[in-house]
Amino acid sequence: MTEDNEQLLKQFFSETAQQTIADDGFTERVMQRLPLRANWFVRLWDGLCLLVAAILFIVYDGWQLLADHVVGLFYSLIATSPTQIFLTVAALVFGLLFVGVGELLYAESVRRPWLR
């Protein structure tokens, strides 16, 4: 029963995926205009967030806080067992890999909008 449904769905979508609707280039024009209109707002928002982050970093003496945390991290790494260090590093690497793959997928979806 499930295989029959899957076969019917595959047949339906393979037939409809090959159809094109003549719209005299309307879709292409819309897709070209959309990112341009939203792009300025995204850049403005990114700039404002970066400015606020920089101001807060300076106001709250970010370099000193960062140095204190790094020193504390090294002292705690020295005091812990090698197994715990390995697990921490593995978790960090996995997290960075997860974020990196997400960024690559996002970049591909922006570059190729039909992948969304």
Side-chain angles (χ1 to χ4, degrees):
M1 179 84 175
T2 307
E3 292 178 16
D4 292 337
N5 289 341
E6 287 183 25
Q7 184 71 21
L8 288 171
L9 285 173
K10 285 181 183 178
Q11 180 182 358
F12 173 75
F13 284 120
S14 68
E15 292 171 0
T16 57
Q18 297 172 358
Q19 293 178 354
T20 56
I21 298 172
D23 63 353
D24 196 28
F26 174 76
T27 304
E28 185 65 30
R29 288 192 305 270
V30 169
M31 293 305 289
Q32 286 178 354
R33 290 184 130 195
L34 283 177
L36 294 176
R37 288 186 177 174
N39 200 13
W40 70 270
F41 180 72
V42 171
R43 287 186 181 178
L44 178 66
W45 182 251
D46 286 347
L48 287 174
C49 289
L50 184 63
L51 181 65
V52 168
I55 289 171
L56 289 174
F57 190 79
I58 291 169
V59 167
Y60 289 107
D61 200 19
W63 290 114
Q64 186 61 42
L65 291 172
L66 189 61
D68 290 345
H69 284 290
V70 169
V71 169
L73 175 70
F74 283 125
Y75 283 145
S76 66
L77 283 176
I78 291 170
T80 58
S81 68
T83 305
Q84 196 171 9
I85 292 172
F86 174 74
L87 291 174
T88 303
V89 170
L92 286 172
V93 168
F94 179 75
L96 290 174
L97 184 66
F98 187 74
V99 170
V101 168
E103 287 294 322
L104 284 175
L105 291 175
Y106 174 73
E108 282 298 312
S109 70
V110 168
R111 194 168 66 110
R112 300 179 188 167
W114 60 87
L115 292 176
R116 290 183 194 167

